[in-house]
Amino acid sequence: AQSVTQLDSQVPVFEEAPVELRCNYSSSVSVYLFWYVQYPNQGLQLLLKYLSGSTLVESINGFEAEFNKSQTSFHLRKPSVHISDTAEYFCAVTLSSGNTPLVFGKGTRLSVIA
Amino acid sequence: DAGVIQSPRHEVTEMGQEVTLRCKPISGHNSLFWYRQTMMRGLELLIYFNNNVPIDDSGMPEDRFSAKMPNASFSTLKIQPSEPRDSAVYFCASSSTSSGSNEQFFGPGTRLTVL
């Protein structure tokens, strides 16, 4: 079975500062990795995903995540955050074979302070 | 595309009542997932379907919960009888096996409150 650990439940950061949201996973088989974002009272939106190839993946709004197989990590980073980045961020994994359910971490609440 | 559609968006009911949540997946998607989100347990899978067939319902809490997918464009999640501990946000998500990425698209969720 797969599992995901998000080490920080809450991360406060000042506007324009860098941020890293940590994610570690456990799986005995090959997985795909995802970061989803949830704004207040909304559903989950895909932020970025790692399937294969380059270990560094980027989103259109400046976030990036790096897959590290040896450390079984998929940390999310942004060099300069905006107020609008305030949201809950979920790391998730799914098996790379077939359409299988996502296993989510507990989430990290990012609060950007003006 | 309209995305995944869920109804109702909010439901308030009294303990013991039957609750039915509805989901319309994205057209052409052949996998559908029901998740529940609570403060205590986070996001958990309840059940999922591939090609309208239930594949794994091990996440369904107990016999009070049931889910159906009568066709490719509609699914229901029913709770009968409902209890206060069922209060949560219920998400439906869909995906396509042909995409190769396992990316799931989520609906806006149904916020259920059982008094």
Side-chain angles (χ1 to χ4, degrees):
Chain A
Q2 300 77 48
S3 66
V4 177
T5 302
Q6 291 183 245
L7 297 167
D8 306 297
S9 60
Q10 297 186 54
V11 174
V13 62
F14 286 105
E15 194 174 17
E16 298 184 4
V19 70
E20 179 180 80
L21 306 183
R22 295 179 291 170
C23 171
N24 287 89
Y25 70 94
S26 173
S27 177
S28 58
V29 296
S30 178
V31 296
Y32 292 156
L33 293 151
F34 303 83
W35 276 98
Y36 280 84
V37 59
Q38 184 178 31
Y39 298 101
N41 299 314
Q42 294 188 25
L44 282 79
Q45 302 173 31
L46 180 67
L47 191 58
L48 45 76
K49 60 188 177 187
Y50 172 78
L51 307 180
S52 64
S54 173
T55 58
L56 185 66
V57 291
E58 299 177 351
S59 72
I60 58 173
N61 57 353
F63 282 94
E64 64 178 32
E66 185 159 19
F67 170 61
N68 187 317
K69 187 174 182 179
S70 63
Q71 297 186 6
T72 60
S73 67
F74 191 54
H75 301 333
L76 181 70
R77 302 185 185 94
K78 189 171 185 179
S80 176
V81 296
H82 303 288
I83 294 290
S84 59
D85 293 324
T86 295
E88 186 103 19
Y89 292 79
F90 293 93
C91 182
V93 302
T94 184
L95 297 177
S96 60
S97 58
N99 245 18
T100 55
L102 290 162
V103 175
F104 288 92
K106 293 292 189 184
T108 297
R109 184 173 299 277
L110 174 64
S111 299
V112 181
I113 306 161
Chain B
D1 199 313
V4 176
I5 298 172
Q6 290 187 249
S7 65
R9 292 292 309 276
H10 302 273
E11 176 81 32
V12 180
T13 189
E14 292 189 346
M15 182 174 63
Q17 296 298 305
E18 177 180 298
V19 175
T20 299
L21 311 182
R22 298 173 176 81
C23 175
K24 177 178 170 57
I26 292 173
S27 177
H29 282 189
N30 62 335
S31 293
L32 185 140
F33 306 82
W34 283 100
Y35 294 92
R36 179 171 69 174
Q37 184 178 33
T38 61
M39 289 292 291
M40 292 297 295
R41 299 175 67 88
L43 280 154
E44 306 174 285
L45 176 76
L46 298 176
I47 185 172
Y48 80 101
F49 299 82
N50 278 346
N51 298 315
N52 312 338
V53 176
I55 303 300
D56 183 358
D57 65 354
S58 60
M60 297 284 263
E62 48 199 87
D63 292 345
R64 298 185 297 107
F65 285 68
S66 63
K68 294 181 180 180
M69 191 164 187
N71 56 61
S73 59
F74 184 65
S75 177
T76 60
L77 177 68
K78 185 177 293 186
I79 308 173
Q80 164 66 12
S82 58
E83 297 181 3
R85 59 189 167 132
D86 302 330
S87 297
V89 181
Y90 291 81
F91 289 104
C92 175
S94 70
S95 64
S96 169
T97 50
S98 63
S99 73
S101 71
N102 289 12
E103 179 179 348
Q104 295 181 20
F105 295 82
F106 283 76
T110 295
R111 182 174 296 276
L112 173 65
T113 302
V114 183
L115 303 174

